[in-house]
Amino acid sequence: MIVLNIDKKLLAADGEMNLGLNLTLEKGQLITLYGESGAGKTSTLRLLSGLMRPDHGKIIVNGKTWFDSDKKIYLPPQKRNIGFVFQDYALFPNMTVLENLEFALGKGQDKKNVSDLIEIIELGTLQHRKPETLSGGQKQRVALARALAERPDILLLDEPLAALDAKIRLKLQDYIQRTHREFGLTTILISHDIGEIIKLSDHVIFLEKGNIIRQGNPDELFINSNISGKFKFTGEILKIEQQEIVYIATVLIQNSVVKVIVQDSEVQDLHVGNKVVVATKAFNPILYKIEG
Amino acid sequence: MIVLNIDKKLLAADGEMNLGLNLTLEKGQLITLYGESGAGKTSTLRLLSGLMRPDHGKIIVNGKTWFDSDKKIYLPPQKRNIGFVFQDYALFPNMTVLENLEFALGKGQDKKNVSDLIEIIELGTLQHRKPETLSGGQKQRVALARALAERPDILLLDEPLAALDAKIRLKLQDYIQRTHREFGLTTILISHDIGEIIKLSDHVIFLEKGNIIRQGNPDELFINSNISGKFKFTGEILKIEQQEIVYIATVLIQNSVVKVIVQDSEVQDLHVGNKVVVATKAFNPILYKIEG
Amino acid sequence: CNNHGTSEKITIATAANMRYAIEDLVKAFTKETGIQCDLVISSSGTLTAQIKEGAPYDVFISADTKYPNDIFKSGLAKNPPKIYAYGKLVLWTMTENIVPSISILNDDSIDHIAIANPKIAPYGKAAISVLNHYKLLDKIEGKLVYGESISQTNQFILSASAELGFTSLSVVLAPELKEKGTWIELENHLYKPIAQSVVQIAHEKVNANSSKKFYDFLFSKKAKEILKNFGYSVDE
Amino acid sequence: MIDWSPLLLTFELAAVTTIILLVISIPLSAWLANSKSRLKPVIETLVSMPLVLPPTVLGFYFLMAFSPNNAFGEWINEWLGIKLVFSFPGLVVASVLYSLPFMVHPIQCGLSGLPISIKEAAYVMGKSKLTTLFRVQLPNIKPALLTGIVLSFAHTVGEFGVVLMIGGNIPGKTKVASIAIYDEVEALNYGTANVYSMILFAITFCILLAVYLVNGKHLKKLGR
Amino acid sequence: MIDWSPLLLTFELAAVTTIILLVISIPLSAWLANSKSRLKPVIETLVSMPLVLPPTVLGFYFLMAFSPNNAFGEWINEWLGIKLVFSFPGLVVASVLYSLPFMVHPIQCGLSGLPISIKEAAYVMGKSKLTTLFRVQLPNIKPALLTGIVLSFAHTVGEFGVVLMIGGNIPGKTKVASIAIYDEVEALNYGTANVYSMILFAITFCILLAVYLVNGKHLKKLGR
Ligand SMILES: Nc1ncnc2c1ncn2[C@@H]1O[C@H](COP(=O)(O)OP(=O)(O)OP(=O)(O)O)[C@@H](O)[C@H]1O
Ligand SMILES: Nc1ncnc2c1ncn2[C@@H]1O[C@H](COP(=O)(O)OP(=O)(O)OP(=O)(O)O)[C@@H](O)[C@H]1O
Ligand SMILES: [Mg+2]
Ligand SMILES: [Mg+2]
């Protein structure tokens, strides 16, 4: 369990901003921080990892005090078993991809972890290249793998998938989810992608100007009504066309496009670009196997 | 009109990769480059802007030759009236936000552009700050505004919105679209977000391993090819149980679990872990809007 | 120095102006006694400072009397400084169409005249006396350039950066330089005699016996002959 | 009794030398930082070479080269009307050559450490290489510039061998503080030498400290 | 006719000095690059101060300090059994102090130019400050290290005033090449001086050129 109760003055867009966090995060959960640019998401991760020192308050992780301004306890980042994927990747330019990952291993950890990871992020043929010549997305994959290599208790991800294309993004989402579960990690993710958030997270925290304005499970927070029925997907409205008295909304879900009939009364509220949930009550699916 | 007909050897993941582009882009269009990480999208923008020199070929923009390996013509980047938003922002650390924008102005250009832009990207209160203290998203907004400040003919955007939250992202999409139209820009965008691509672009180019594998308008490419009037999703089989004469397959699609009845004849071919497509003919979906 | 198969060895600290004569002196000494010598050639000021901080030198041959005196006063010398030779001052030029003379110093064609720094080098002090005697100092002061030592003054003259310069007779008589340029000797009475003295250093490790031998050798007939060859005058 | 003119001359020499070095080193370093030429390592090496000769010997070679008896010295004298031996301009030229590596190497190192995209962003904006260098690249390598300036300045203040050789120790013209101090030490006037040293030390200390303080504040403002 | 021992001694001195300087400067520069202490500008300034005194005068002060007549010299002599005056160790100590700024400033400048996140990434991985410094930070500032090494090495090769004073010009022990050349020039043996200079020049040129070539290749491999 992570108990955060801290304050930190930041220099925000409009003068000083107080980042005030009072949070209890359950062990093993995948928590997402959501909020506008400049809300304090990155700063929250830095405070938790020890890279930024709170002005006052307490951080207690699994019963151990990491920070306590009263007792003058301040565990340095080295002592906090944390994996961190930085917004700017922060790969070590002097090391190849493989060396970056191997360097992250703790003492006595198995090098096999690393070769598994390299396979999973599909960078096998790049493993002896230096980060400088990699594309943005390749770099981001390396950064993610490196943070996982050290098998941390807590994984902090600062928009780890922002620069990735849909295919590799889905793959890495799966991988994050799998690692998160397999290793019993507590993961804190920063993401702007609502689909991704709903897919991955157990708990979402809304930050606004340094304050937590709402939190809860993603369904509660992002979907107005609680949807009954099992089958639901998040998507985005691409087009709304009027056809006689009804409207037809074209919705993008994953890579598929669905056309949904929308009533006149509902259409007022819907605009192109809106995120929506597509759900259904009656549904008779058929399976087709994918070859390959 | 932009005519690109060039070759460039790149050091790709699996040895050398030839980036071979043979393209004609219409003036005033908004073109999106789409493709996997490492496909050569960023390199294409660098070749067009003159930051990377093609091995051979031609680049002709609005009748003017920018590059011609036979005639040994190579217009330097300074002479190409281009706006570029870099993947790593490339803001000037020594200048404030305002100074970054003002520096981008050409000779005799109006400073009013700059104040308009600052308002639009909502960084008014940040304008006297240095880039170092801005959040990732704030930086990206500044980079976008800076590229627009110089009123280029061609605007190159290397994933300009990747780090933004949904709200500001929508706003900036609108702004890109508006500027693109108002100034008659030819815009080339790199994006991984299909919704964004469909919303913004007139023309999409699919790159794979340095080659153009498909191009056309986004509807053609993303919608028609995927849709067959049916609703279908890819998923993964989690479990197959026998119930009397039928089998029930539990399939994971995104985050949802669906139970599908499978016939005896079909089950031979299906195993746990198989990728499958779940489709249906009769489907009455309902839309729920997501707040956020 | 040369190899004579004996382990005895002394270190002789020598002022820059004695560098030509000392080599011949040491050769003759080693031939006579079999004692080898290491030479350390530097400015008198430097050598004095080093000796005071325990430099392993056995004999100090200075270009004047001031520095040996200082060492003696500090209790580092075995005996008071003793004059072994008097130096002579010459006016030297490398420029072909100049005939060195006192009168030419005031000529407009002469831009620079090199002298050793009168504050620290005896030959510089002597040169100033000569100029004062001819009442030239005020007129030509602007032309003077100062070498830190007699060696540096020589370099100003040899490179012809300074058209003329005052140096020691021992320099222009040195075998390497005999054919170079033209010079005149200045009359002895125009400056105070340049008395050069020597002291024997007293420190724990000193090679007392050998250094005494060298000290005595310096006043031998043989040594005086060598010194005379190099243009020094000696008490006889 | 302290003669202030050597001290004034020293700081004048150090300031002039540092400014000229900046002017020369900026284009040279920029070329070195960008170049992929085969000549680059050779030039990099040559820049450091004046350092490996003892200063007085280097000074002697300069003396030979600058002497009006010599083709080069004569040429300078006739065409520019500058006499380089035993004159302040000569001191400046010699000091510049001698301290060149202290300015060039740090600036080059700073420039090549900047992310390439920053330079590229300016080029794409239509800014010339020159504008980019002065408005974007140099302002972002202030610590490197500072290192170059401090090393060159301090080194010129303490320079002695070269200056002595080429300058001829003429009071008020080429007799800088380092020579004055040396003179006093040689003359065994340790007291006066100490006073000179202390003054030289104190003034330079204040100058450099001020530079570092301003620099420190500047960085703090940046939030570093 | 050439006596090689001064040349050998020179390169030995330059190599030993450079290595010791590296060992000292790395922690000092790392501290300076990180520190927000008020003392920082003072230390930065102090590091450069030995430069501002003429080398012979600095040598004179070292001579006084190291002399066994003095508390410090006596202490070193008694406790470590090292005699610093007129000995090779003394030359090394003096050269190290004198060339300190040429090593410290470039390394500090290189370290403070690295993006902070690289260091932070290593800390979060549980790597100590030391491991981070040696495995991550230093390997990424090779050009700065190179600048420091080249400047220190070349400067020590040419060093003369300090070495002459503290070393006493004892053949085979403290008579380095710079002094030997100086001697020959003083003796007006320009021929021999030229030969010595050429050899010193050529060897140093080759060493530095090799360093720059290796460095250039290395950078090319990185795709820069
Ligand atoms: N300077 C370079 N020289 C040689 N090869 C390079 C260079 N820069 C990048 N590459 C290689 O070219 C390929 C294409 O890179 P590019 O940056 O264009 O990819 P991208 O499509 O933008 O990918 P991403 O979506 O990950 O940013 C990659 O395999 C990369 O390693
Ligand atoms: N070192 C710092 N000192 C003071 N203020 C800072 C510092 N770093 C960032 N800030 C400010 O704190 C605020 C929050 O920044 P933070 O990086 O946490 O935002 P964010 O929520 O991650 O935004 P984004 O989505 O754009 O990355 C911003 O206004 C930023 O300017
Ligand atoms: Mg952030
Ligand atoms: Mg890219």
Side-chain angles (χ1 to χ4, degrees), chain A residues 12 36 167 199 255 286 288, chain B residues 36 129 167 194 255 277 279:
Chain A
E36 285 183 19
K167 203 171 120 192
K199 175 176 168 187
N255 262 354
I286 314 159
Y288 299 90
Chain B
E36 283 183 20
R129 292 263 295 275
K167 204 170 117 194
I194 295 171
N255 232 11
V277 167

Side-chain angles (χ1 to χ4, degrees), chain A residues 41-42 87 158-159 190, chain B residues 135-137:
Chain A
K41 304 182 295 299
T42 300
Q87 230 168 346
D158 198 347
E159 306 190 43
I190 296 179
Chain B
S135 75

Side-chain angles (χ1 to χ4, degrees), chain A residues 185-203:
Chain A
L185 295 174
T186 308
T187 303
I188 305 182
L189 171 76
I190 296 179
S191 175
H192 290 303
D193 187 307
I194 295 169
E196 184 170 291
I197 296 173
I198 293 178
K199 175 176 168 187
L200 293 177
S201 48
D202 302 311
H203 190 84

Side-chain angles (χ1 to χ4, degrees), chain A residues 118-138:
Chain A
I118 285 186
E119 214 160 281
I120 288 157
I121 56 169
E122 300 183 354
L123 288 173
T125 46
L126 282 177
Q127 59 184 303
H128 299 298
R129 293 262 295 276
K130 297 266 167 86
E132 202 171 3
T133 58
L134 300 180
S135 75
Q138 288 164 345

Side-chain angles (χ1 to χ4, degrees), chain A residues 11-13 36-37 125 129 141 165 167 192 199 222 231-232 254-255 257-258 275 277 279 286 288 290, chain B residues 11-13 36 125 129 138 165 167 192 194 226-227 231 254-256 258 275 277 279 286 288 290-291:
Chain A
L11 262 175
E36 285 183 19
S37 171
T125 46
R129 293 262 295 276
R141 280 186 275 162
D165 61 299
K167 203 171 120 192
H192 290 303
K199 175 176 168 187
F222 289 107
F231 202 45
K232 61 177 190 226
Q254 275 191 20
N255 262 354
V257 170
V258 183
K275 297 275 177 196
V277 166
I286 314 159
Y288 299 90
I290 299 172
Chain B
L11 263 175
E36 283 183 20
T125 45
R129 292 263 295 275
Q138 288 164 345
D165 61 298
K167 204 170 117 194
H192 290 303
I194 295 171
N226 288 334
I227 221 165
F231 194 46
Q254 277 194 15
N255 232 11
S256 313
V258 184
K275 295 277 176 203
V277 167
I286 313 159
Y288 299 89
I290 299 171
E291 308 296 335

